[in-house]
Amino acid sequence: MNEFLESIIKRDPAAKSKISVVLTYPGVKAVFLHRIANFFAVAKFDLIARMISQFSRFMTGIEIHPKAKIGKNLFIDHGMGVVIGETSDIGDNVTIYHMATLGGISPSINSDDQRETKRHPTLQDNVVVGSGAQVLGPITIGKNAKIGANAVVTKDVPENGVMVGIPAKNVGTATEEFKPYGISDEEKNEEFSE
């Protein structure tokens, strides 16, 4: 727990103390409640798992399916409107901003054919997903990749990729330094000057 809280303080300049993070950050509550819901989902108590996840959604505005796999130190900043689908797989030290979706591409078409299949993204370690970004389908977002705000990503992203736009395009190489909004001012200026 201490490592988790320290990782948030390192990534959020607004975080003043561990106690304020625990008491006031909806992403922390959502991740904690997801761990409980996931325990019940793995034990095949699906109704209890879904009830816990829906309670979490009501309390935090963040919807995480109980069967989603989440690594250590996931930071959901602000959080309102974040959706993480059932077969999502999230690595360590990932940051996701508000209104982002890790979703499927056609959930209402042939639903029976899609059961028990991988339909949602895999985010490897140290990925940043900007606010409003839509990461859709059974794709892989490589380590250290940055997804800019409001980008729509439907194809695999290489390690260190910097994705912006609709549809998202790789506009550079991310450094290992944390970029809270997915891209730096330099990368943003390069993209819009072309």
Side-chain angles (χ1 to χ4, degrees), residues 11 14 16 35 40 46 68 77 89 105 115 125 132 134 152 161 185 191:
R11 289 181 272 178
K16 304 299 183 213
R35 301 278 186 220
F40 284 104
D46 291 329
D77 197 4
D89 192 343
I105 49 174
R115 295 185 206 290
D125 298 346
Q134 306 297 299
V152 177
D185 287 337
E191 171 65 14

XYZ file of all heavy atoms in Angstrom, residues 11 14 16 35 40 46 68 77 89 105 115 125 132 134 152 161 185 191:
144
model
N 3.512 10.958 -9.235
C 2.895 11.279 -10.520
C 1.909 12.431 -10.469
O 1.470 12.903 -11.517
C 2.189 10.036 -11.077
C 3.165 8.969 -11.540
C 2.446 7.768 -12.104
N 2.132 6.835 -11.030
C 1.472 5.706 -11.200
N 1.011 5.366 -12.383
N 1.237 4.902 -10.188
N -0.545 17.561 -7.344
C -1.603 18.017 -6.434
C -1.682 17.164 -5.170
O -2.316 17.565 -4.198
C -2.951 18.005 -7.145
N -0.861 15.971 -1.765
C -0.138 16.607 -0.660
C 0.331 15.617 0.399
O 1.331 15.837 1.050
C -1.021 17.681 0.009
C -1.533 18.737 -0.947
C -0.415 19.514 -1.598
C -0.970 20.600 -2.483
N -0.157 20.870 -3.640
N -9.983 -4.757 -6.363
C -9.254 -5.917 -5.826
C -10.233 -6.872 -5.127
O -10.128 -8.091 -5.265
C -8.166 -5.471 -4.851
C -7.128 -4.549 -5.433
C -6.057 -5.280 -6.188
N -5.018 -4.344 -6.598
C -4.416 -4.384 -7.759
N -4.739 -5.311 -8.644
N -3.480 -3.521 -8.075
N -13.695 -12.039 -5.802
C -14.947 -12.782 -5.942
C -15.150 -13.273 -7.376
O -15.676 -14.362 -7.595
C -16.134 -11.940 -5.478
C -16.234 -11.845 -3.981
C -15.859 -10.689 -3.323
C -16.678 -12.925 -3.232
C -15.939 -10.600 -1.942
C -16.754 -12.848 -1.851
C -16.382 -11.680 -1.195
N -19.809 -14.436 -9.377
C -19.951 -13.312 -10.308
C -20.944 -12.249 -9.849
O -20.702 -11.060 -10.036
C -20.339 -13.825 -11.699
C -19.204 -14.597 -12.351
O -18.040 -14.279 -12.093
O -19.497 -15.524 -13.130
N -11.317 -7.689 -15.009
C -10.153 -7.002 -15.580
C -8.924 -7.308 -14.730
O -9.014 -7.406 -13.503
C -10.402 -5.500 -15.634
N -6.282 9.077 -12.416
C -6.299 10.461 -11.967
C -7.633 11.112 -12.322
O -8.093 11.005 -13.454
C -5.143 11.227 -12.602
C -4.848 12.540 -11.892
O -5.480 12.830 -10.865
O -3.963 13.276 -12.373
N -6.221 -5.920 -19.666
C -5.062 -6.400 -18.906
C -4.118 -5.214 -18.772
O -3.579 -4.729 -19.769
C -4.408 -7.559 -19.652
C -3.397 -8.309 -18.810
O -2.951 -7.780 -17.777
O -3.026 -9.431 -19.204
N -14.791 -3.388 -29.447
C -15.124 -2.673 -30.678
C -16.537 -2.942 -31.170
O -17.106 -2.122 -31.849
C -14.103 -2.956 -31.800
C -13.862 -4.441 -31.948
C -12.819 -2.228 -31.543
C -12.988 -4.811 -33.094
N -18.195 -14.087 -26.208
C -18.009 -14.514 -24.821
C -16.739 -15.346 -24.698
O -16.401 -16.127 -25.562
C -19.215 -15.325 -24.345
C -20.480 -14.503 -24.297
C -21.651 -15.271 -23.705
N -22.929 -14.779 -24.183
C -23.479 -13.618 -23.882
N -22.840 -12.792 -23.089
N -24.644 -13.253 -24.357
N 3.544 -2.109 -19.053
C 4.014 -1.260 -17.958
C 4.269 0.182 -18.391
O 4.710 0.446 -19.520
C 5.310 -1.817 -17.375
C 5.143 -3.200 -16.765
O 4.001 -3.633 -16.543
O 6.173 -3.845 -16.507
N -10.051 11.318 -21.981
C -10.936 11.157 -23.126
C -10.464 10.176 -24.178
O -11.152 9.961 -25.171
N -9.799 6.808 -26.215
C -10.550 5.578 -26.423
C -9.578 4.539 -26.974
O -9.075 4.692 -28.083
C -11.698 5.803 -27.409
C -12.622 6.945 -27.029
C -13.339 6.700 -25.719
O -14.085 5.740 -25.586
N -13.124 7.565 -24.740
N -8.064 8.124 -30.466
C -8.825 6.889 -30.656
C -7.857 5.858 -31.214
O -7.402 5.972 -32.358
C -10.029 7.091 -31.602
C -10.744 5.768 -31.830
C -10.986 8.135 -31.036
N 5.776 4.399 -28.025
C 5.014 5.142 -29.018
C 4.295 6.323 -28.380
O 3.947 6.299 -27.204
N 5.073 19.326 -24.490
C 4.838 20.516 -25.307
C 5.601 20.432 -26.623
O 5.104 20.829 -27.670
C 5.250 21.787 -24.556
C 4.269 22.129 -23.447
O 3.109 21.680 -23.528
O 4.671 22.839 -22.507
N 3.737 18.080 -33.845
C 2.576 17.523 -34.543
C 1.761 18.599 -35.245
O 1.343 18.457 -36.374
C 1.699 16.741 -33.558
C 0.366 16.302 -34.104
C 0.446 15.283 -35.234
O 1.514 14.705 -35.456
O -0.575 15.066 -35.907
